[in-house]
Amino acid sequence: MNCLRNPLMVALLLTPFANAADKTLIDYFKPMPVEGKLSSEAWGAQGVLPRDPQNGLEDTTMEKWCYWDGAVIPGPDGKFHLFASRWDQSKGHNGWWQSSAVHAVSDKVTGPYEDKGLCWPDDQGGKGHNVTALKLPDGRYAAIVSETRPGDVFIADSLDGPWKHHGQIQVAPGKFSELGKMSNVCVLLRPDGDFMILARSGAIWISKTGILGPYTVQGPSVYPTVKDLPLKDLEDPILWYSGGLYHIVVNGWSTRKAWHLTSPNGIDNWTLRGLAYDPTTDFLRYTDGTVNHWDKIERPAVVMKDGHVTHFLLSVLDVPKDQEKGNDRHGSKIIVVPFDGEALDRDLQEKAQSSATEEKKPEPPAGVPATTNVPGAEFPRVHPDNRVTLRIKAPDAKKVQFDLGKRYTAERDADGVWTATTDPQVPGFHYYWLVIDGVQVNDPASETFYGVSKQSSGIEIPDADGNFYQPKDVPHGEIRERSYFSKTTGTWRRIFVYTPPGYDADSSVRYPVLYLQHGGGEDERGWGVQGRMNHIMDNLIAEKKAKPMIIVMERGYAQKPGASAASGGPRDFNRMIGALEEVFVNDLIPMIDSTYRTLGDRDHRAMAGLSMGGMQTFTIGMKHLDLFSYFGGFSGAGGGIGGGTFDAKTAQDGVFADAAAFNSKVKLVWLGIGTSEDKRFYEGVKGYRDALEAAGIKTSYYESPGTAHEWQTWRRCLREFTPLLFQ
């Protein structure tokens, strides 16, 4: 029995190494959660007991199947789809020659996976081994088999099939084409859109014309070029891209150890990073400290999320292959092991920076693709010091500039590729543009976001304090899109509504409501997309810092039928506010209260907004204390812009004149601003707050350090504001 019950030993197993410079890939494996229960009655040798049969994919009876290979694809149905091979366990391990490709499904990435049967039962009886799978650029899915079939590719529109034979992978004739044998084939869709294959030979193949090729073998095996890499009996390579590097894990079948290599371009300059895994070590462990030692660990594969590896799939066998004869309660399965790929990528980047400093290289670090890039785009790239390198190919252009905070003139190379690197950027989300020969255009490498009254390129700069708006493994709410007809405007209006985690689980629960407004030049999408409000609220609710609440995001522009379009001047702003006030009072709030399970009284209703939305909050809300009891202004409030004279006694129809009466009725007046905002915004909000305080009105006030009139200020404001609501 491999059960570690000593608390000190458990703590040592669960504690990461302190020195990142000494860590290799094996040190980033995390403990496996127990999905079922640890069992000593499961099949297998003593070294793999007790274990959790609900992890991964296995025949828990070991009466039918041995499983091997595997690739997991998260599906649009929220489930995880595993493609693997299986064979009759009575044939022993050598039965793999008769294996078939199967599809298995689980609600969790770690399992248990339910075998749904053969992927292509009508094609050679489902025959397939060395199974791998990936999502194609057009949204379809591909499954690839090698070894027992010569690189056959199957395509399906859905992960549930049906799978149709698409053809066989082709290798173009050339100097190294003899290395293009279809054994242990691993396929990667590169960030540049090319397909890349690494097979047992260790040679790199590239196709620019689709998954079938033809592939050009780029040169001899990369393995002999890697300093200090043990070359004996290498097989089962896995290939992925993360953290600005291409990665290989390759297994030595006779030594039973695997090794980790990286390359900046995936073609050459491969570097040995050290040990990837070793079955004689204690790296396969559960959260309670129990360790399993499988005799064989082969056919690695990775599960990716947000650009990092989160789990490894490993094909495992409990006894030596030649001892597994069938019908002997020994066999193979696929296990799924959590992995801290984000930490691996970060540590490798830090090592690269350290090496660059030691070698006194003038080049900046390569950085990583921005999370706001379109899929596969390598640029823009964000450097560790928050500089950004932007690039576009425009061979006919005479001048190219990138406008990110200020304009940066790009340099052209011989191929017509223009590149510029910015100054360090403030963490958070920023809009930006290209200016090509004087014409402002969006960057085709960036997703677009509605801001400054148009669709614009945008970039997310990582923030060390930004964990609060990242998705986490907590219960999640939903942002729902809804259209409703406004009698005030005579038009259909679109809103977005956040419902908290558990909203659909218990129909008896009612919730308070926050009406959350965007700023000028943006629209009702802003808080959900740029603001990431759903992640902020999910995390606050999970930490029990904020009450579960419904949040309504309405468009901040309205005009009555027949009215001319607003110009943005003071009169038009007031006219627009007046129409929006009627929308809220007569259309929106009644519709929300009749459609969603709200607590429909003023004590359970709040309004807040950023910039223009903050001014709308105080302009509308202060007229309707019968409807709202909580108010928040993020870089915007009732005092306007510019810090001019503001008389709290007479402003807004004298709502603040009787401070005691106001304070007894209103539960929260909250104001926030960035310390680096323009003077007119800063003084407008702070002056409003100071005037209210001088008049005896109780307020709460927050300043976001180092941020200006931007989404990072407003994300932080939402984080600070919502925990004060409905307490």
Side-chain angles (χ1 to χ4, degrees):
M1 182 177 290
N2 289 297
C3 197
L4 298 181
R5 301 301 183 194
N6 184 307
L8 176 60
M9 290 300 294
V10 173
L12 288 173
L13 277 172
L14 301 182
T15 302
F17 289 85
N19 187 356
D22 297 330
K23 294 171 70 172
T24 65
L25 188 138
I26 193 173
D27 298 313
Y28 296 88
F29 283 96
K30 299 163 66 176
M32 294 177 284
V34 179
E35 300 297 348
K37 65 178 182 178
L38 298 183
S39 172
S40 297
E41 305 302 319
W43 59 263
Q46 192 68 26
V48 301
L49 301 175
R51 77 163 191 280
D52 181 10
Q54 300 301 304
N55 176 281
L57 175 62
E58 73 168 85
D59 179 350
T60 57
T61 66
M62 195 42 71
E63 294 178 355
K64 289 185 177 181
W65 310 116
C66 286
Y67 290 97
W68 206 248
D69 307 323
V72 165
I73 300 177
D77 55 1
K79 297 182 182 296
F80 296 88
H81 297 255
L82 170 60
F83 298 89
S85 66
R86 76 179 187 199
W87 62 88
D88 183 349
Q89 66 82 25
S90 68
K91 306 293 185 181
H93 190 76
N94 286 335
W96 71 265
W97 276 103
Q98 299 172 325
S99 60
S100 301
V102 295
H103 171 219
V105 179
S106 173
D107 291 328
K108 298 180 180 179
V109 64
T110 49
Y113 284 86
E114 180 183 353
D115 186 339
K116 297 294 188 179
L118 301 181
C119 293
W120 37 84
D122 299 328
D123 191 300
Q124 298 187 37
K127 182 178 181 181
H129 192 68
N130 282 178
V131 182
T132 188
L134 73 160
K135 187 174 183 178
L136 297 173
D138 62 6
R140 296 183 299 166
Y141 301 92
I144 304 96
V145 292
S146 58
E147 207 73 48
T148 61
R149 300 181 71 157
D152 284 18
V153 178
F154 293 82
I155 300 291
D157 293 329
S158 165
L159 288 166
D160 295 313
W163 293 89
K164 298 181 180 179
H165 190 260
H166 186 57
Q168 293 180 344
I169 292 172
Q170 302 296 315
V171 177
K175 182 178 180 181
F176 301 102
S177 57
E178 73 278 3
L179 297 176
K181 296 179 180 178
M182 302 297 167
S183 176
N184 296 168
V185 166
C186 173
V187 183
L188 173 70
L189 179 60
R190 290 168 56 101
D192 59 12
D194 293 346
F195 284 90
M196 178 176 178
I197 285 180
L198 176 66
R200 187 184 186 120
S201 67
I204 302 294
W205 319 351
I206 297 292
S207 166
K208 295 182 177 295
T209 56
I211 193 168
L212 293 181
Y215 287 80
T216 300
V217 181
Q218 301 298 298
S221 171
V222 301
Y223 300 147
T225 69
V226 181
K227 181 181 179 182
D228 299 327
L229 174 66
L231 297 176
K232 186 177 181 181
D233 300 326
L234 297 179
E235 65 170 7
D236 290 341
I238 178 67
L239 182 68
W240 77 91
Y241 178 84
S242 66
L245 292 171
Y246 292 84
H247 300 254
I248 291 174
V249 167
V250 60
N251 177 63
W253 66 263
S254 59
T255 64
R256 300 193 298 157
K257 295 180 179 179
W259 307 96
H260 177 214
L261 319 176
T262 65
S263 164
N265 61 16
I267 306 298
D268 51 23
N269 294 319
W270 290 93
T271 300
L272 175 64
R273 297 294 184 175
L275 183 68
Y277 57 78
D278 179 350
T280 66
T281 66
D282 293 344
F283 84 102
L284 293 179
R285 61 203 188 276
Y286 295 97
T287 49
D288 73 342
T290 300
V291 175
N292 289 162
H293 288 119
W294 294 89
D295 184 82
K296 276 284 189 182
I297 302 175
E298 296 184 355
R299 295 297 295 165
V302 295
V303 182
M304 305 283 292
K305 183 179 180 181
D306 297 330
H308 304 288
V309 176
T310 61
H311 295 78
F312 261 78
L313 277 68
L314 300 171
S315 299
V316 294
L317 179 65
D318 65 317
V319 294
K321 290 182 178 180
D322 59 358
Q323 294 181 24
E324 207 283 274
K325 303 296 185 181
N327 295 324
D328 53 7
R329 286 189 63 79
H330 297 295
S332 60
K333 66 170 290 186
I334 300 165
I335 63 173
V336 184
V337 188
F339 186 82
D340 195 349
E342 186 173 0
L344 170 68
D345 293 337
R346 180 185 64 243
D347 290 346
L348 287 175
Q349 289 174 18
E350 290 177 355
K351 288 180 183 179
Q353 296 170 38
S354 176
S355 298
T357 300
E358 292 173 3
E359 297 172 10
K360 297 181 179 180
K361 292 183 178 179
E363 299 89 348
V368 296
T371 59
T372 38
N373 291 359
V374 296
E378 283 290 292
F379 290 85
R381 298 180 73 84
V382 182
H383 299 279
D385 61 357
N386 289 347
R387 288 178 300 141
V388 177
T389 296
L390 304 108
R391 179 173 293 180
I392 189 170
K393 187 169 186 177
D396 297 329
K398 305 301 182 185
K399 183 178 181 180
V400 173
Q401 294 176 304
F402 294 93
D403 192 334
L404 178 52
K406 69 177 186 180
R407 289 193 176 184
Y408 298 88
T409 300
E411 294 184 1
R412 185 188 191 279
D413 68 12
D415 297 321
V417 176
W418 298 80
T419 304
T421 298
T422 72
D423 300 326
Q425 299 295 307
V426 174
F429 176 87
H430 305 281
Y431 299 109
Y432 76 96
W433 305 270
L434 284 74
V435 183
I436 300 180
D437 292 338
V439 179
Q440 187 181 91
V441 295
N442 287 334
D443 186 347
S446 165
E447 297 281 6
T448 57
F449 308 84
Y450 189 77
V452 294
S453 301
K454 62 181 180 180
Q455 290 296 131
S456 302
S457 302
I459 187 167
E460 186 73 39
I461 306 298
D463 188 351
D465 181 45
N467 195 43
F468 72 93
Y469 55 80
Q470 301 299 335
K472 299 180 184 178
D473 187 14
V474 299
H476 292 282
E478 293 183 354
I479 295 180
R480 309 179 182 199
E481 180 176 338
R482 187 176 189 89
S483 296
Y484 75 98
F485 187 79
S486 166
K487 294 181 180 179
T488 300
T489 64
T491 61
W492 286 92
R493 295 178 66 84
R494 179 180 65 176
I495 59 171
F496 290 92
V497 180
Y498 169 82
T499 54
Y503 180 84
D504 294 321
D506 187 347
S507 61
S508 67
V509 178
R510 291 186 172 273
Y511 297 89
V513 184
L514 165 63
Y515 290 83
L516 184 63
Q517 290 300 103
H518 61 83
E522 294 171 335
D523 67 9
E524 63 273 20
R525 291 171 286 185
W527 271 111
V529 180
Q530 294 96 300
R532 299 190 177 184
M533 58 76 54
N534 54 321
H535 299 315
I536 295 172
M537 294 306 302
D538 290 345
N539 296 334
L540 287 173
I541 293 170
E543 295 166 6
K544 300 190 183 304
K545 292 180 179 179
K547 294 283 189 182
M549 66 186 77
I550 294 169
I551 299 179
V552 179
M553 291 158 280
E554 166 67 278
R555 184 174 179 83
Y557 317 106
Q559 61 185 47
K560 294 183 178 181
S564 59
S567 67
R571 289 185 178 179
D572 281 332
F573 182 79
N574 291 334
R575 176 161 56 88
M576 183 175 62
I577 285 281
L580 188 66
E581 177 185 351
E582 293 187 35
V583 167
F584 265 75
V585 175
N586 299 327
D587 302 327
L588 178 61
I589 293 176
M591 186 277 292
I592 292 294
D593 285 342
S594 64
T595 305
Y596 296 89
R597 298 196 314 276
T598 67
L599 293 166
D601 56 66
R602 67 174 302 276
D603 288 340
H604 295 93
R605 193 178 291 124
M607 186 172 180
L610 68 92
S611 192
M612 178 186 76
M615 289 186 279
Q616 291 171 343
T617 294
F618 283 87
T619 303
I620 295 172
M622 292 302 149
K623 293 182 180 180
H624 295 282
L625 297 187
D626 58 322
L627 295 178
F628 302 97
S629 59
Y630 298 85
F631 302 93
F634 312 159
S635 303
I641 297 173
T645 302
F646 173 76
D647 184 354
K649 295 292 184 180
T650 59
Q652 295 174 259
D653 298 325
V655 70
F656 305 117
D658 188 339
F662 183 89
N663 290 336
S664 68
K665 191 168 187 178
V666 173
K667 297 184 178 182
L668 180 64
V669 174
W670 193 99
L671 298 165
I673 193 74
T675 60
S676 299
E677 301 232 21
D678 288 347
K679 182 179 179 181
R680 63 191 184 116
F681 288 110
Y682 184 85
E683 291 186 353
V685 172
K686 191 174 187 303
Y688 185 69
R689 182 254 185 178
D690 291 345
L692 292 180
E693 287 284 335
I697 303 298
K698 295 179 181 178
T699 66
S700 292
Y701 182 70
Y702 168 75
E703 291 192 354
S704 170
T707 58
H709 207 67
E710 57 188 304
W711 275 107
Q712 203 68 348
T713 297
W714 307 323
R715 291 170 177 172
R716 291 175 180 175
C717 283
L718 187 68
R719 176 188 61 183
E720 301 299 319
F721 172 68
T722 50
L724 302 178
L725 299 180
F726 315 122
Q727 299 296 334

